[in-house]
Amino acid sequence: MDREHRLKRLRFRAWHRGTKEADLLIGGFFDRHHAEWSDGDIALFEQLLEEQDVDIMGWATGSQPVPPEYQGTMMKALEALNYVPIAR
């Protein structure tokens, strides 16, 4: 599957998690960062999407320790939470 098709599938999966909170967190993260990802980053994000939303949200907010396989640049960007729109 080519890169563009993979990214389209990932965008759909990132924005259709099952709860609005997870959609905003994971979908917003995808929209903000996917353009700069390498093929390895895309594969890591695909792997991340197989995890439970509650775990991903816990890792992003720091309420749960991040497993070693996800520690790195992508998780640091996820932890920044600067991609989630907040109404003021």
Side-chain angles (χ1 to χ4, degrees):
M1 171 177 346
D2 69 5
R3 180 182 175 89
E4 184 177 335
H5 187 75
R6 279 176 82 186
L7 289 172
K8 284 181 182 179
R9 287 184 75 191
L10 286 175
R11 184 175 196 287
F12 182 86
R13 290 182 62 203
W15 277 104
H16 294 87
R17 301 299 296 179
T19 65
K20 187 65 172 178
E21 294 85 359
D23 291 350
L24 289 170
L25 180 91
I26 300 166
F29 175 76
F30 175 85
D31 284 353
R32 177 83 179 264
H33 294 285
H34 77 277
E36 62 202 40
W37 289 346
S38 67
D39 289 341
D41 293 331
I42 291 171
L44 181 62
F45 190 73
E46 287 172 329
Q47 180 182 338
L48 182 68
L49 290 183
E50 297 300 321
E51 301 291 343
Q52 296 294 315
D53 292 346
V54 67
D55 293 330
I56 297 170
M57 293 174 76
W59 302 331
T61 61
S63 64
Q64 292 183 34
V66 178
E69 63 267 27
Y70 296 118
Q71 292 177 0
T73 307
M74 184 176 290
M75 189 55 64
K76 290 294 180 198
L78 187 67
E79 291 169 348
L81 296 175
N82 60 357
Y83 48 86
V84 178
I86 299 172
R88 295 179 193 242

